[in-house]
Amino acid sequence: MTSRVRFAPSPTGFLHVGSARTALFNWLHARSTGGTFVLRVEDTDAERNRPELTDALLAELEWLGIDWDEGPVFQSARRDRHREVVEDLVGRGLAYLCDADDHPVEGTRLVDGLAVRFRMPAGETVVFNDVVRGEVAFATDDLEDFVVWRSNGNPMFLLANAVDDADMGITHAIRGEDLLSGVPKVLLLLDAMGVPHPTYAHLPLLVNEERKKLSKRRDEVSVGDYRERGFLPEAMVNYLALLGWGPPDDVEIRPLDEIVGLFRIEDVNKAAAFFDIRKLEHINATHLRALSVEEFTDRVTPWVGEAAPWPAENFDSDRFATMAGLVQEKLRTFGDVCSFVDFLFLDDPVDDEESWKKTMVEAPSAVAVLDATAVAFADCPWEAEVLKEAVAAAGAAVDLKLGKAQAPVRVAVTGRTVGPPLFETMAECMERQEVLRRIARARARL
RNA sequence: GCCCCCAUCGUCCAGCGGCCUAGGACGCCGGCCUUUCACGCCGGUAACACGGGUUCGAAUCCCGUUGGGGGUACCA
């Protein structure tokens, strides 16, 4: 039998990184076993359900490259079927009506104002074998009669979940560990319906630095936020795959299709995993460097658009394209790009205080280097190699190697100690007069 | 409170009874390379929670303790 898995998010309007990891592991299992990946939107809570929230969710999945074979199926559209199952349960005495005070009510007709509770059998043990956790057992005596149908005429998610998994032929339910304790109830429902159980695999939770489940309130959990900060989808899924699973050959950074070939749901480990953004950044930077210059330039361009710190009319796409190749290997995320190229499009470079202090105030030779450089730059050929020699000579005159000598020039021209290769940048992207003006501007401040 | 789950470097992953004086990656600390930073390379730091068993032999199996987490809604 070929596997059928499902990702069943509730429509919250954004994709949580934990949900994305769950979706990814389901997808990986489907793709690595030739199975089917079904998308199901669990929107039984009508009050919170809005179509645009689902759209946002699907867009993020698509961005990550997680595609689905069936769906999205909306649970709310299956209400009649859920009701039918509940009525059957009530009819057979396996569930009963109850009022707002939770008092049982005689009768078998589902009416507004009355909820339905499933009758928990006494003295039984529900056992199941979880793919990642092994055998798990619950005593029914520890469980209470639970609501399967709400008094407002909608099914509870446990009921809808059980019915839909059964009807859709789901073979593997792969999801977060926070849902583990709901399993016995679902199993009892499945038994009552007389259908087989899917195989469960409960993934370890993603936690924050306090080892608590990632929360929307205090943690950065939105996949969309990472996208907007300039993370690549291929880096995002690569990192997510590493949370709770590891490749057998220890090669962590690799394309998704390779992971598909290596992934096995039974290799997933049990312990909670900390979402470490520093490692994500490292993986992102590595994927970034692997891009061709053309593709890098193409994909980074949105980050030098509207949000950029310079006047829009100053932007020059040709100069930026030249610069792109020089900064690609230095970025960790696309979001970093402006700080590497802003000096090209700003009327005056930013004056980074730390940089100024270190290379100008605390460097006694700064004045000499700047003056000598200005003289040399005034009428030399405007080529990287020539500019480099000029600064080297200016430095040598005061006993400084090129590394030290270029620092004040770099800060005068770009505003910062950190940036792209200086001489190439000046030769290829800047006018001689502008460079001289900036050197003079810095000189005037000393 | 009750139920369930978890426990290897700061972090993620490897280890599934002997190959472990515990391996890889991120981070961190040195060094090299170098026009800054970054990249790359070299080296270093750092862990089997504790206590009992089982076994010739345990990070690996069992029990307990401690610690952490999740669940306990007419949310999903």
Short mmCIF file of all heavy atoms in Angstrom, two decimals, chain B residues 61-75:
data_model
loop_
_atom_site.label_atom_id
_atom_site.label_comp_id
_atom_site.label_asym_id
_atom_site.label_seq_id
_atom_site.Cartn_x
_atom_site.Cartn_y
_atom_site.Cartn_z
P C B 61 19.06 2.11 24.79
OP1 C B 61 18.06 2.26 23.72
OP2 C B 61 19.14 3.12 25.87
"O5'" C B 61 18.89 0.69 25.49
"C5'" C B 61 18.34 -0.41 24.76
"C4'" C B 61 18.02 -1.52 25.72
"O4'" C B 61 19.26 -2.09 26.20
"C3'" C B 61 17.32 -1.04 27.00
"O3'" C B 61 15.92 -0.94 26.79
"C2'" C B 61 17.68 -2.15 27.97
"O2'" C B 61 16.90 -3.30 27.76
"C1'" C B 61 19.13 -2.44 27.57
N1 C B 61 20.12 -1.67 28.35
C2 C B 61 20.30 -1.97 29.70
O2 C B 61 19.61 -2.86 30.22
N3 C B 61 21.22 -1.29 30.40
C4 C B 61 21.95 -0.33 29.82
N4 C B 61 22.85 0.31 30.56
C5 C B 61 21.78 0.01 28.45
C6 C B 61 20.86 -0.68 27.75
P C B 62 15.09 0.06 27.70
OP1 C B 62 13.73 0.12 27.14
OP2 C B 62 15.86 1.31 27.89
"O5'" C B 62 15.04 -0.69 29.11
"C5'" C B 62 14.34 -1.93 29.23
"C4'" C B 62 14.34 -2.33 30.68
"O4'" C B 62 15.70 -2.65 31.08
"C3'" C B 62 13.93 -1.23 31.64
"O3'" C B 62 12.52 -1.16 31.78
"C2'" C B 62 14.61 -1.67 32.93
"O2'" C B 62 13.90 -2.69 33.59
"C1'" C B 62 15.93 -2.22 32.40
N1 C B 62 17.01 -1.22 32.39
C2 C B 62 17.67 -0.94 33.58
O2 C B 62 17.32 -1.52 34.62
N3 C B 62 18.68 -0.03 33.58
C4 C B 62 19.03 0.57 32.46
N4 C B 62 20.03 1.45 32.51
C5 C B 62 18.36 0.32 31.22
C6 C B 62 17.37 -0.58 31.23
P C B 63 11.88 0.23 32.22
OP1 C B 63 10.42 0.07 32.10
OP2 C B 63 12.57 1.33 31.51
"O5'" C B 63 12.25 0.31 33.76
"C5'" C B 63 11.70 -0.60 34.70
"C4'" C B 63 12.24 -0.31 36.07
"O4'" C B 63 13.68 -0.55 36.08
"C3'" C B 63 12.12 1.14 36.52
"O3'" C B 63 10.84 1.44 37.04
"C2'" C B 63 13.19 1.21 37.59
"O2'" C B 63 12.78 0.62 38.80
"C1'" C B 63 14.30 0.37 36.97
N1 C B 63 15.26 1.19 36.21
C2 C B 63 16.24 1.88 36.92
O2 C B 63 16.27 1.79 38.16
N3 C B 63 17.13 2.66 36.25
C4 C B 63 17.05 2.75 34.93
N4 C B 63 17.94 3.52 34.31
C5 C B 63 16.06 2.06 34.17
C6 C B 63 15.19 1.30 34.85
P G B 64 10.33 2.96 36.97
OP1 G B 64 8.91 2.94 37.36
OP2 G B 64 10.73 3.54 35.67
"O5'" G B 64 11.18 3.69 38.11
"C5'" G B 64 11.02 3.30 39.47
"C4'" G B 64 12.11 3.96 40.29
"O4'" G B 64 13.41 3.56 39.77
"C3'" G B 64 12.15 5.48 40.23
"O3'" G B 64 11.23 6.06 41.14
"C2'" G B 64 13.58 5.75 40.66
"O2'" G B 64 13.75 5.64 42.06
"C1'" G B 64 14.34 4.62 39.96
N9 G B 64 14.87 5.03 38.67
C8 G B 64 14.42 4.68 37.41
N7 G B 64 15.11 5.23 36.45
C5 G B 64 16.07 5.98 37.11
C6 G B 64 17.11 6.79 36.59
O6 G B 64 17.40 7.02 35.41
N1 G B 64 17.86 7.39 37.60
C2 G B 64 17.63 7.22 38.95
N2 G B 64 18.45 7.87 39.77
N3 G B 64 16.67 6.45 39.44
C4 G B 64 15.94 5.87 38.48
P U B 65 10.76 7.56 40.90
OP1 U B 65 9.76 7.88 41.94
OP2 U B 65 10.40 7.71 39.46
"O5'" U B 65 12.07 8.41 41.17
"C5'" U B 65 12.63 8.48 42.48
"C4'" U B 65 13.85 9.35 42.47
"O4'" U B 65 14.84 8.77 41.57
"C3'" U B 65 13.64 10.75 41.89
"O3'" U B 65 13.14 11.64 42.87
"C2'" U B 65 15.06 11.13 41.49
"O2'" U B 65 15.85 11.52 42.58
"C1'" U B 65 15.58 9.80 40.95
N1 U B 65 15.42 9.69 39.48
C2 U B 65 16.34 10.36 38.69
O2 U B 65 17.24 11.04 39.15
N3 U B 65 16.14 10.22 37.34
C4 U B 65 15.15 9.49 36.72
O4 U B 65 15.11 9.45 35.49
C5 U B 65 14.24 8.83 37.61
C6 U B 65 14.40 8.95 38.93
P U B 66 12.30 12.90 42.41
OP1 U B 66 11.88 13.63 43.63
OP2 U B 66 11.28 12.44 41.44
"O5'" U B 66 13.37 13.80 41.64
"C5'" U B 66 14.44 14.42 42.36
"C4'" U B 66 15.39 15.06 41.38
"O4'" U B 66 15.97 14.05 40.52
"C3'" U B 66 14.76 16.04 40.41
"O3'" U B 66 14.59 17.33 40.96
"C2'" U B 66 15.80 16.05 39.30
"O2'" U B 66 16.94 16.82 39.65
"C1'" U B 66 16.18 14.58 39.23
N1 U B 66 15.35 13.85 38.26
C2 U B 66 15.71 13.93 36.92
O2 U B 66 16.66 14.55 36.53
N3 U B 66 14.87 13.25 36.06
C4 U B 66 13.74 12.53 36.41
O4 U B 66 13.09 11.97 35.52
C5 U B 66 13.45 12.50 37.81
C6 U B 66 14.24 13.15 38.67
P G B 67 13.43 18.29 40.45
OP1 G B 67 13.44 19.52 41.27
OP2 G B 67 12.20 17.48 40.34
"O5'" G B 67 13.95 18.64 38.99
"C5'" G B 67 15.15 19.40 38.83
"C4'" G B 67 15.54 19.46 37.37
"O4'" G B 67 15.83 18.12 36.89
"C3'" G B 67 14.44 19.93 36.44
"O3'" G B 67 14.32 21.34 36.42
"C2'" G B 67 14.94 19.40 35.10
"O2'" G B 67 16.01 20.16 34.59
"C1'" G B 67 15.45 18.02 35.52
N9 G B 67 14.40 17.02 35.38
C8 G B 67 13.61 16.48 36.37
N7 G B 67 12.74 15.62 35.92
C5 G B 67 12.97 15.58 34.55
C6 G B 67 12.32 14.84 33.53
O6 G B 67 11.40 14.02 33.64
N1 G B 67 12.86 15.12 32.27
C2 G B 67 13.88 16.01 32.04
N2 G B 67 14.25 16.15 30.76
N3 G B 67 14.49 16.71 32.98
C4 G B 67 13.99 16.45 34.20
P G B 68 12.89 21.99 36.15
OP1 G B 68 13.03 23.45 36.38
OP2 G B 68 11.85 21.21 36.87
"O5'" G B 68 12.71 21.72 34.59
"C5'" G B 68 13.55 22.40 33.66
"C4'" G B 68 13.34 21.85 32.27
"O4'" G B 68 13.60 20.42 32.27
"C3'" G B 68 11.92 21.93 31.72
"O3'" G B 68 11.59 23.22 31.26
"C2'" G B 68 12.00 20.92 30.59
"O2'" G B 68 12.73 21.43 29.49
"C1'" G B 68 12.81 19.80 31.25
N9 G B 68 11.90 18.83 31.86
C8 G B 68 11.63 18.67 33.19
N7 G B 68 10.75 17.73 33.41
C5 G B 68 10.42 17.25 32.15
C6 G B 68 9.52 16.23 31.75
O6 G B 68 8.79 15.53 32.47
N1 G B 68 9.49 16.07 30.37
C2 G B 68 10.25 16.81 29.48
N2 G B 68 10.09 16.52 28.19
N3 G B 68 11.11 17.76 29.84
C4 G B 68 11.14 17.92 31.18
P G B 69 10.08 23.71 31.36
OP1 G B 69 10.07 25.15 31.06
OP2 G B 69 9.46 23.20 32.61
"O5'" G B 69 9.42 22.92 30.15
"C5'" G B 69 9.91 23.11 28.82
"C4'" G B 69 9.32 22.07 27.92
"O4'" G B 69 9.66 20.74 28.41
"C3'" G B 69 7.81 22.03 27.82
"O3'" G B 69 7.33 23.02 26.94
"C2'" G B 69 7.58 20.63 27.26
"O2'" G B 69 7.90 20.57 25.89
"C1'" G B 69 8.63 19.83 28.04
N9 G B 69 8.06 19.23 29.24
C8 G B 69 8.28 19.60 30.55
N7 G B 69 7.61 18.86 31.40
C5 G B 69 6.90 17.96 30.62
C6 G B 69 6.00 16.93 30.97
O6 G B 69 5.64 16.58 32.10
N1 G B 69 5.50 16.27 29.85
C2 G B 69 5.83 16.57 28.55
N2 G B 69 5.25 15.83 27.61
N3 G B 69 6.68 17.53 28.20
C4 G B 69 7.17 18.18 29.28
P G B 70 5.85 23.56 27.12
OP1 G B 70 5.69 24.70 26.19
OP2 G B 70 5.55 23.73 28.56
"O5'" G B 70 4.97 22.34 26.60
"C5'" G B 70 5.02 21.97 25.21
"C4'" G B 70 4.17 20.74 25.01
"O4'" G B 70 4.69 19.65 25.80
"C3'" G B 70 2.72 20.86 25.46
"O3'" G B 70 1.92 21.53 24.51
"C2'" G B 70 2.35 19.38 25.57
"O2'" G B 70 2.15 18.80 24.31
"C1'" G B 70 3.62 18.81 26.20
N9 G B 70 3.54 18.81 27.66
C8 G B 70 4.16 19.64 28.54
N7 G B 70 3.88 19.37 29.79
C5 G B 70 3.01 18.30 29.73
C6 G B 70 2.37 17.56 30.77
O6 G B 70 2.44 17.72 31.98
N1 G B 70 1.57 16.54 30.25
C2 G B 70 1.40 16.27 28.91
N2 G B 70 0.59 15.26 28.61
N3 G B 70 2.00 16.94 27.94
C4 G B 70 2.79 17.93 28.41
P G B 71 0.62 22.28 25.02
OP1 G B 71 0.05 22.93 23.83
OP2 G B 71 0.94 23.07 26.25
"O5'" G B 71 -0.33 21.09 25.48
"C5'" G B 71 -0.78 20.14 24.52
"C4'" G B 71 -1.55 19.05 25.23
"O4'" G B 71 -0.69 18.40 26.19
"C3'" G B 71 -2.72 19.51 26.07
"O3'" G B 71 -3.86 19.73 25.26
"C2'" G B 71 -2.92 18.30 26.99
"O2'" G B 71 -3.56 17.24 26.32
"C1'" G B 71 -1.47 17.91 27.27
N9 G B 71 -0.99 18.50 28.52
C8 G B 71 -0.17 19.59 28.69
N7 G B 71 0.08 19.86 29.95
C5 G B 71 -0.62 18.88 30.64
C6 G B 71 -0.73 18.65 32.04
O6 G B 71 -0.22 19.28 32.98
N1 G B 71 -1.55 17.56 32.33
C2 G B 71 -2.17 16.79 31.38
N2 G B 71 -2.93 15.78 31.84
N3 G B 71 -2.07 16.99 30.08
C4 G B 71 -1.28 18.04 29.79
P U B 72 -5.00 20.69 25.80
OP1 U B 72 -6.02 20.80 24.75
OP2 U B 72 -4.39 21.91 26.38
"O5'" U B 72 -5.48 19.82 27.04
"C5'" U B 72 -6.79 19.37 27.21
"C4'" U B 72 -6.85 18.66 28.53
"O4'" U B 72 -5.53 18.34 29.00
"C3'" U B 72 -7.44 19.50 29.65
"O3'" U B 72 -8.86 19.49 29.59
"C2'" U B 72 -6.91 18.77 30.87
"O2'" U B 72 -7.63 17.62 31.16
"C1'" U B 72 -5.48 18.41 30.42
N1 U B 72 -4.52 19.43 30.83
C2 U B 72 -4.12 19.43 32.16
O2 U B 72 -4.53 18.61 32.97
N3 U B 72 -3.25 20.42 32.50
C4 U B 72 -2.74 21.38 31.67
O4 U B 72 -1.96 22.22 32.12
C5 U B 72 -3.19 21.32 30.31
C6 U B 72 -4.04 20.38 29.94
P A B 73 -9.59 20.82 29.72
OP1 A B 73 -8.84 21.96 29.16
OP2 A B 73 -10.14 20.85 31.08
"O5'" A B 73 -10.81 20.43 28.76
"C5'" A B 73 -10.84 20.84 27.47
"C4'" A B 73 -11.92 21.91 27.29
"O4'" A B 73 -11.34 23.20 27.40
"C3'" A B 73 -12.48 21.72 25.88
"O3'" A B 73 -13.85 21.34 25.87
"C2'" A B 73 -12.00 22.97 25.11
"O2'" A B 73 -13.02 23.59 24.43
"C1'" A B 73 -11.39 23.89 26.17
N9 A B 73 -10.04 24.31 25.79
C8 A B 73 -8.84 23.69 26.03
N7 A B 73 -7.80 24.36 25.57
C5 A B 73 -8.36 25.49 25.01
C6 A B 73 -7.79 26.61 24.36
N6 A B 73 -6.50 26.77 24.18
N1 A B 73 -8.64 27.56 23.92
C2 A B 73 -9.96 27.41 24.11
N3 A B 73 -10.60 26.40 24.70
C4 A B 73 -9.73 25.48 25.14
P C B 74 -15.02 21.78 26.72
OP1 C B 74 -14.64 22.98 27.43
OP2 C B 74 -15.81 20.78 27.42
"O5'" C B 74 -15.82 22.14 25.41
"C5'" C B 74 -15.43 21.54 24.17
"C4'" C B 74 -16.07 22.40 23.11
"O4'" C B 74 -17.49 22.14 23.19
"C3'" C B 74 -15.83 23.89 23.45
"O3'" C B 74 -14.90 24.46 22.56
"C2'" C B 74 -17.26 24.52 23.64
"O2'" C B 74 -17.51 25.62 22.81
"C1'" C B 74 -18.20 23.35 23.22
N1 C B 74 -19.35 23.21 24.11
C2 C B 74 -20.60 23.53 23.57
O2 C B 74 -20.68 23.91 22.41
N3 C B 74 -21.72 23.39 24.34
C4 C B 74 -21.59 22.96 25.61
N4 C B 74 -22.71 22.82 26.32
C5 C B 74 -20.32 22.68 26.17
C6 C B 74 -19.23 22.81 25.41
P C B 75 -15.02 25.32 21.35
OP1 C B 75 -15.94 26.43 21.46
OP2 C B 75 -15.22 24.29 20.31
"O5'" C B 75 -13.56 25.89 21.15
"C5'" C B 75 -12.55 24.99 20.73
"C4'" C B 75 -11.59 25.77 19.92
"O4'" C B 75 -10.54 26.22 20.78
"C3'" C B 75 -10.88 24.96 18.86
"O3'" C B 75 -11.67 24.87 17.70
"C2'" C B 75 -9.63 25.79 18.64
"O2'" C B 75 -9.90 26.90 17.84
"C1'" C B 75 -9.32 26.23 20.08
N1 C B 75 -8.36 25.37 20.76
C2 C B 75 -6.99 25.65 20.60
O2 C B 75 -6.66 26.63 19.91
N3 C B 75 -6.07 24.86 21.20
C4 C B 75 -6.47 23.82 21.93
N4 C B 75 -5.53 23.08 22.51
C5 C B 75 -7.85 23.51 22.11
C6 C B 75 -8.75 24.29 21.51
#
